[in-house]
Amino acid sequence: MPNYQGVWSLSAQYQNSTGWPSPPLAGDIAINQSGSSASESVSTLQMGFVVITTTGNGSDFGDSTAANTFSAGMSSSTRGVFAYGKETGNANSNRMDFVTMRTLGNATDFGDAIATGLKSDSGLSNETRGVMKDANSGNTISYITIATTGNASDFGDLTFSRWSLGACSSTTRGVFGGGTDGTRQNIIDYITIASTGNATDFGDLTQVQADLAGLSSNTRGIFAGGTSSGFTNVIQYITIASTGNASDFGDLTASKQYCTGTSNATRGLIYLGDGASNVDYITIASTGNGTDFGDTLSAGGSGKGVVSTAHGGLA
């Protein structure tokens, strides 16, 4: 292919059109991994993206380094990191990938998580650091520096051993809600992202809830969907800078487990799990029911990791 300098004829432009670099994606972008079917039979490497401020179906972003599910998403405004839970064949994984948020393309290896077998949407971040719940047992949490590559480091412990939590953040504080140790929990913990150390009790969810989505603005955290006595459509909210129990926000359009979430400063997206391709949206500062946003590229329901360029930890 000729270089990009000089004046090209129309025929030369047409012949080389497939080689043009893609322009950077504009707007507040959310990128999701496809996850798996409800049976956890992983079948795709696919990542999709949407513009959060619009509505509509997802478009292709690129491929992960391995087919995976139950992944945790963490991101700055420029880089997204996915920590895997399981890979093809249902084997536990400690793989982490990263993508450049506004550049279409395949993921690249980031390093290794401390433990294998992350479970559901248990990652949170601010502009510099990502924090995740480790593995589907124990109470350990770990962290990465998003702008670098390398293995995760120990952060501290949750107040109670559990997995399948939802997670959200402001620029300074991270919050983990719900989860299960075999029995579903209503516990909410918080950490200071820039430090390391054990989590502190924040309060309680309105009900026991696991496999739930977490998302936030810089001031308000949202937990949605998952399982309670059965699949649930409950959405609830907290004020991140305070402590206290969650309050009712509204309902999702469907009751699903394995939900995941992300946001920009004003709008939250909840990816409905359990084999569904549906995405709901809410206005974080208000209360009310979810509204249909569109569909992901595939009906991959088990723990679709999601990252965004403008979530609550970056506001």
Side-chain angles (χ1 to χ4, degrees):
M1 175 186 292
N3 64 40
Y4 294 116
Q5 299 182 13
V7 178
W8 284 30
S9 68
L10 290 175
S11 61
Q13 292 183 49
Y14 178 79
Q15 291 168 10
N16 294 284
S17 60
T18 57
W20 287 108
S22 298
L25 301 173
D28 295 339
I29 304 300
I31 303 167
N32 74 284
Q33 293 186 318
S34 290
S36 76
S37 65
S39 65
E40 302 182 22
S41 55
V42 180
S43 60
T44 179
L45 303 170
Q46 194 173 56
M47 297 181 292
F49 78 93
V50 296
V51 179
I52 298 172
T53 52
T54 65
T55 58
N57 298 334
S59 300
D60 184 61
F61 186 91
D63 291 338
S64 303
T65 63
N68 69 90
T69 188
F70 293 125
S71 55
M74 300 160 282
S75 56
S76 67
S77 57
T78 56
R79 174 180 281 190
V81 180
F82 296 102
Y84 292 7
K86 294 185 177 183
E87 295 187 28
T88 302
N90 216 23
N92 287 342
S93 175
N94 67 347
R95 184 192 302 259
M96 293 188 287
D97 279 356
F98 75 92
V99 295
T100 301
M101 296 295 289
R102 298 189 182 277
T103 305
L104 296 175
N106 297 335
T108 303
D109 181 67
F110 184 94
D112 293 335
I114 285 180
T116 63
L118 287 159
K119 190 74 182 249
S120 205
D121 191 25
S122 303
L124 59 89
S125 52
N126 60 13
E127 184 66 51
T128 57
R129 178 177 279 190
V131 182
M132 72 196 92
K133 164 66 178 68
D134 290 319
N136 57 353
S137 62
N139 62 350
T140 58
I141 46 181
S142 60
Y143 73 94
I144 56 171
T145 301
I146 297 172
T148 66
T149 57
N151 298 335
S153 300
D154 182 68
F155 186 99
D157 295 334
L158 295 172
T159 63
F160 184 80
S161 177
R162 62 200 195 276
W163 60 93
S164 296
L165 304 85
C168 60
S169 58
S170 66
T171 55
T172 57
R173 177 179 279 189
V175 183
F176 294 94
T180 180
D181 65 343
T183 301
R184 297 179 188 93
Q185 304 293 325
N186 66 352
I187 299 167
I188 310 174
D189 290 348
Y190 74 93
I191 57 169
T192 301
I193 300 173
S195 67
T196 57
N198 295 336
T200 302
D201 181 66
F202 184 99
D204 294 332
L205 297 174
T206 61
Q207 62 178 19
V208 296
Q209 210 159 332
D211 299 312
L212 66 165
L215 61 96
S216 59
S217 66
N218 190 39
T219 56
R220 176 177 280 190
I222 303 288
F223 297 103
T227 56
S228 186
S229 56
F231 292 1
T232 183
N233 65 353
V234 169
I235 312 171
Q236 48 199 294
Y237 72 94
I238 58 168
T239 301
I240 298 175
S242 67
T243 57
N245 296 336
S247 300
D248 181 67
F249 185 98
D251 295 331
L252 297 173
T253 59
S255 297
K256 293 291 183 180
Q257 66 174 338
Y258 304 135
C259 296
T260 53
T262 196
S263 65
N264 64 7
T266 58
R267 174 179 280 190
L269 302 185
I270 300 101
Y271 291 67
L272 304 185
D274 194 49
S277 60
N278 312 62
V279 182
D280 279 5
Y281 74 92
I282 58 171
T283 301
I284 299 173
S286 67
T287 57
N289 296 335
T291 302
D292 181 65
F293 181 94
D295 293 335
T296 57
L297 291 176
S298 61
S302 296
K304 301 179 280 276
V306 190
V307 296
S308 87
T309 57
H311 58 79
L314 310 179

